[in-house]
Amino acid sequence: MRKKKIAVFASGSGTNAEKIFQHFKGHEQIEVSLLCCNKPGAYVLERAQRFDIPSYVFSRNEFYDSTVVSDRLKTEGIDLIVLAGFMWLVPDYLVADFEDRIINIHPALLPKFGGKGMYGMHVHKAVKQAGETVSGITIHFVNNRYDEGNIIEQFTCQLTPSDTPEVIARKVQKLEHENYPKVIDNLVLKY
Ligand code: GAR
């Protein structure tokens, strides 16, 4: 049986992407066959290179005003698209072409602390500001609205009143790194 193919989309540093690359390196049934990126020079491109994973960098026009990205993913036989710190809204044509085959990770417990502009430290500052005693991560399907697709799984961490946004970020990142690759592994085999 052919291996299931994952395309990882990332925009920046790519620590989650790297955990995913590590997890699937040498995997018998699943491979990361493409890293897609909207930012030339993003550090995630170097991480992909170290794992011998081909990269595909595209522009805003290509992504929103053509179907080249979807065409490429279809040609490569991608089974699942995994967003890992990808900061652009996924356009309608791509959501339609890969219905229920695009997932995202969000660094908070949706439906709280989601939506446009809610990414990275903005999220953790908002969590702190709200005096939350728990935060965590949400892994969810992607539709054409920020952070609103059906939730697949959530993982939580306890917060203390003295936790700064930076401490919250570290706790949440630990959850992401531990859990995202495993959730992908379980999900992709269903396709
Ligand atoms: C991760 O924390 C991910 O949850 C977040 O971006 C970070 C990327 O970090 N995504 C969002 O905020 C999406 N709204 P990384 O580049 O180190 O993996």
Side-chain angles (χ1 to χ4, degrees), residues 11-28:
S11 302
S13 168
T15 65
N16 279 282
E18 177 149 355
K19 292 290 170 191
I20 296 164
F21 301 159
Q22 272 168 4
H23 180 93
F24 291 107
K25 192 175 153 85
H27 197 293
E28 288 188 355

Side-chain angles (χ1 to χ4, degrees), residues 41-82:
Y43 189 61
V44 69
L45 295 164
E46 284 182 40
R47 296 187 198 265
Q49 202 171 23
R50 283 204 295 273
F51 282 81
D52 279 331
I53 294 168
S55 294
Y56 175 35
V57 181
F58 48 82
S59 67
R60 180 171 278 275
N61 280 353
E62 284 170 327
F63 197 49
Y64 288 107
D65 301 331
S66 83
T67 58
V68 288
V69 174
S70 186
D71 296 344
R72 167 93 183 246
L73 298 170
K74 284 193 255 180
T75 304
E76 299 217 7
I78 297 298
D79 296 290
L80 183 70
I81 296 173
V82 170

Side-chain angles (χ1 to χ4, degrees), residues 9 37-38 44 48 63 65 77 86 96 118 127 151 159 161 177 191:
F9 279 53
C37 182
N38 60 316
V44 69
F63 197 49
D65 301 331
F86 182 69
M118 273 298 188
V127 168
I151 292 173
L159 304 181
H177 290 175
Y191 289 100

Side-chain angles (χ1 to χ4, degrees), residues 1-177:
M1 212 180 68
R2 79 161 182 89
K3 283 190 181 181
K4 300 288 181 190
K5 292 187 176 189
I6 296 171
V8 175
F9 279 53
S11 302
S13 168
T15 65
N16 279 282
E18 177 149 355
K19 292 290 170 191
I20 296 164
F21 301 159
Q22 272 168 4
H23 180 93
F24 291 107
K25 192 175 153 85
H27 197 293
E28 288 188 355
Q29 296 156 288
I30 303 163
E31 67 181 2
V32 179
S33 48
L34 195 61
L35 181 270
C36 296
C37 182
N38 60 316
K39 278 237 176 84
Y43 189 61
V44 69
L45 295 164
E46 284 182 40
R47 296 187 198 265
Q49 202 171 23
R50 283 204 295 273
F51 282 81
D52 279 331
I53 294 168
S55 294
Y56 175 35
V57 181
F58 48 82
S59 67
R60 180 171 278 275
N61 280 353
E62 284 170 327
F63 197 49
Y64 288 107
D65 301 331
S66 83
T67 58
V68 288
V69 174
S70 186
D71 296 344
R72 167 93 183 246
L73 298 170
K74 284 193 255 180
T75 304
E76 299 217 7
I78 297 298
D79 296 290
L80 183 70
I81 296 173
V82 170
L83 310 187
F86 182 69
M87 298 305 171
W88 285 356
L89 189 65
V90 177
D92 290 345
Y93 73 87
L94 193 53
V95 173
D97 285 353
F98 285 84
E99 201 183 352
D100 294 328
R101 286 167 184 263
I102 310 177
I103 66 170
N104 181 42
I105 190 164
H106 185 78
L109 297 173
L110 292 174
K112 281 181 165 182
F113 308 109
K116 192 166 166 43
M118 273 298 188
Y119 60 89
M121 286 306 291
H122 299 292
V123 176
H124 308 306
K125 282 183 184 156
V127 168
K128 171 76 186 171
Q129 184 79 22
E132 297 289 317
T133 55
V134 176
S135 191
I137 64 171
T138 303
I139 297 166
H140 63 94
F141 287 109
V142 169
N143 61 19
N144 51 8
R145 295 152 80 98
Y146 280 110
D147 305 322
E148 288 189 18
N150 288 340
I151 292 173
I152 299 165
E153 244 181 298
Q154 292 184 308
F155 299 88
T156 60
C157 55
Q158 297 298 316
L159 304 181
T160 65
S162 65
D163 283 353
T164 60
E166 290 73 20
V167 172
I168 299 172
R170 277 200 293 279
K171 288 182 174 178
V172 167
Q173 189 186 53
K174 186 164 181 283
L175 283 179
E176 294 190 320
H177 290 175

